[in-house]
């Protein structure tokens, strides 16, 4: 390869590691200078292209995916329910379809949900009250006032219903709040599993799980949520 | 590879690629969101996680072409380029007007801008870019050369003007 061949390659691909190119650059000072100038241009181009990415881009992508997932689930569930209902109607067992037995308790499911979604604990957004209330509209719920710094908020399916998955800043770390409409519990319950501790709180339309690290004062967050959360219908 | 891992790994690069393709923040965000929605729907078909990045870039590129494509321009052959007229001074050593440089990049026809973006943001080789763009590797080199030549001229003009002042 002569100098023109080498420069032709470097002009298009300055980071070329082709053995012929590297060998030539060791022997030809002029081409080595040319290679340096092309690398400098690349650095400048990289700097220019490296624009800031909107803060909430990742959040919006994940939210869109969750909503699509939920829509897909509802569609499938609607199809299977319609099919099942027609079968059940024929045999007169409609009531039986409404009884759902779960192998795990709601508390176990809530703890597992926190463990299975570590991404939620890494997001560092600052979700505004209006955005939270937009999220809660489908569940006929509303927060009358701010409940503290919310770093993540997204609809999530827990067992057969969709609810809201929030992550708040606690005193010692992140605290997950799962608002679970349609998931009823009889009484307030403490949750404990390895390094996680939580509260399962009955509400009018379902329940709320508040889960954080050991020693996190969850009752303070519980009080703020109880005070702010209302039903809109 | 899970969907959230894909988003965390590639959303930023895809956004930048989308932005410099369409030069509009809102459109770039839409492109990235649409790309990931399509990826989510087709995630089961992704057998090799190493191919995920190129797959996502290809989806975004197609989405961009579908929504915002423009007619292509004629290209100059690599053989016709004048290497003798190239200046080899390192550009930008005394600071460069970013705006003018950005405007030059912005003014590049998409055919030239796109392989440059794939090279700089995607880290792809000429062969890989050729695969993504469905053109020959020689054509990729030609386009890269022309794009870089224009950007270099912009930088050197700026440096020259500063020296005169």
């Amino acid at each position: 390869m002569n100098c023109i061949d080498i420069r032709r390659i470097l002009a298009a691909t300055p980071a070329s590691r082709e053995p012929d190119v590297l060998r030539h650059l060791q022997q030809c000072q002029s081409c080595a200078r040319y290679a340096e100038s092309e690398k400098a241009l690349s650095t400048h181009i990289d700097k220019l292209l490296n624009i800031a990415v909107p803060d909430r881009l990742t959040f919006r992508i994940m939210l869109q995916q969750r909503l699509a997932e939920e829509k897909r689930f509802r569609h499938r569930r609607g199809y299977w329910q319609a099919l099942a209902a027609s079968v059940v109607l024929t045999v007169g067992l409609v009531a039986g379809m409404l009884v759902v037995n779960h192998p795990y308790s709601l508390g176990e499911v809530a703890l597992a949900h926190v463990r299975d979604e570590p991404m939620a604990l890494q997001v560092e957004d600052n979700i505004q009250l209006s955005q939270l209330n937009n999220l809660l509209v489908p569940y006929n719920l509303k927060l009358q006032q701010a409940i503290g710094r919310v770093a993540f908020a997204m609809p999530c399916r827990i067992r057969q219903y969709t609810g809201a998955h929030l992550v708040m800043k606690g005193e010692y770390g992140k605290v997950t709040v799962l608002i679970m409409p349609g998931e009823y519990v009889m009484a307030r319950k403490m949750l404990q599993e390895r390094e996680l501790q939580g509260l399962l709180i009955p509400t009018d339309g379902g329940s709320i799980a508040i889960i954080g690290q050991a020693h996190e004062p969850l009752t303070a967050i519980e009080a703020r949520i109880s005070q702010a959360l209302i039903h809109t219908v | 590879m899970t969907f959230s891992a894909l988003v965390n790994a590639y959303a930023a690069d895809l956004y930048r690629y989308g932005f410099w393709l369409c030069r509009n923040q809102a459109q770039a965000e839409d492109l990235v969101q649409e790309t990931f929605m399509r990826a989510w729907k087709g995630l089961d078909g992704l057998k090799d996680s190493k191919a995920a990045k190129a797959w996502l870039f290809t989806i975004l590129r197609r989405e961009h072409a579908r929504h915002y494509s423009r007619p292509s321009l004629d290209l100059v052959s690599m053989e016709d380029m004048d290497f003798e007229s190239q200046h080899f001074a390192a550009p930008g050593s005394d600071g460069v007007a970013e705006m003018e440089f950005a405007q030059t990049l912005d003014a590049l026809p998409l055919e030239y801008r796109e392989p440059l973006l794939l090279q700089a943001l995607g880290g792809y080789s000429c062969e890989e870019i050729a695969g993504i763009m469905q053109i020959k590797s020689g054509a990729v080199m030609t386009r890269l050369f022309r794009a870089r030549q224009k950007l270099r001229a912009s930088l050197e003009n700026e440096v020259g003007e500063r020296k005169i002042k």
Side-chain angles (χ1 to χ4, degrees), chain B residues 39-85:
Chain B
W40 174 64
K41 287 172 188 166
L43 198 55
D44 291 342
L46 180 68
K47 303 296 177 204
D48 181 6
S49 62
K50 285 178 191 159
K53 190 176 176 183
W55 180 56
L56 290 168
F57 269 75
T58 303
I59 297 174
L60 190 142
R61 184 174 181 271
R62 283 186 191 147
E63 283 303 302
H64 174 260
R66 208 159 62 85
H67 292 294
Y68 314 109
S69 65
R70 296 185 180 90
S72 63
L73 298 176
D74 292 331
L75 295 172
V76 177
S77 161
M78 194 75 178
E79 301 304 320
D80 298 335
M81 290 170 189
D82 182 9
F83 280 86
E84 297 306 316
S85 66

Side-chain angles (χ1 to χ4, degrees), chain A residues 3-15 18 30-31 33-54 56-70 72 119 122-123, chain B residues 3-4 7-8 11-13 15-16 19-20 25 28-29 32-34 36-37 40-41 78-79 81 83-84 86-92 95-98 101-102 105 116-117 119-121 125-126 140-142 144-145 148-149 151-152 155:
Chain A
C3 290
I4 289 181
D5 294 329
I6 296 296
R7 290 179 186 197
R8 188 172 287 152
I9 293 168
L10 290 172
T13 53
E18 280 184 40
S30 172
C31 285
R33 278 200 302 278
Y34 179 82
E36 285 307 310
S37 80
E38 286 298 331
K39 278 182 193 165
L41 177 62
S42 292
T43 305
H44 214 88
I45 293 169
D46 290 346
K47 217 166 86 180
L48 173 71
L49 296 181
N50 193 25
I51 53 165
V53 176
R56 296 174 50 75
L57 180 65
T58 304
F59 171 76
R60 275 196 290 270
I61 296 165
M62 294 304 296
L63 178 63
Q64 192 185 29
Q65 181 258 339
R66 286 290 165 80
L67 292 172
E69 193 172 43
E70 176 60 20
R72 184 191 273 181
M119 181 273 299
Q122 288 162 19
V123 175
Chain B
F3 181 77
S4 63
V7 173
N8 285 324
D13 282 343
Y15 171 77
R16 291 184 180 116
F19 177 85
W20 286 108
Q25 185 175 332
E29 287 188 49
V32 177
Q33 285 191 255
E34 189 57 35
F36 276 110
M37 281 314 292
W40 174 64
K41 287 172 188 166
M78 194 75 178
E79 301 304 320
M81 290 170 189
F83 280 86
E84 297 306 316
Q86 292 297 300
H87 301 290
F88 304 136
V96 174
E98 294 294 329
F101 192 55
L105 177 65
L116 186 75
L117 298 177
Q119 184 185 57
L121 292 172
S125 67
C126 285
V140 173
M141 280 192 79
T142 301
L144 282 171
F145 173 84
R148 294 176 61 87
Q149 192 183 38
L151 289 169
R152 174 180 288 286
L155 278 175

Side-chain angles (χ1 to χ4, degrees), chain A residues 74-135:
Chain A
R74 278 189 189 147
H75 179 76
R76 282 182 187 164
R77 189 174 62 179
Y79 172 78
W80 287 111
Q81 276 181 343
L83 188 67
S86 65
V87 172
V88 166
L89 274 170
T90 22
V91 291
L93 294 173
V94 175
M97 282 298 293
L98 300 175
V99 179
V100 182
N101 291 314
H102 296 289
Y104 299 103
S105 73
L106 186 59
E108 287 170 322
V109 170
L111 287 163
H113 191 85
V114 173
R115 278 199 317 275
D116 292 345
E117 303 238 341
M119 181 273 299
L121 296 169
Q122 288 162 19
V123 175
E124 287 293 350
D125 274 320
N126 185 10
I127 314 290
Q128 300 303 305
L129 183 59
S130 59
Q131 294 169 315
L132 281 178
N133 280 329
N134 284 341
L135 180 69

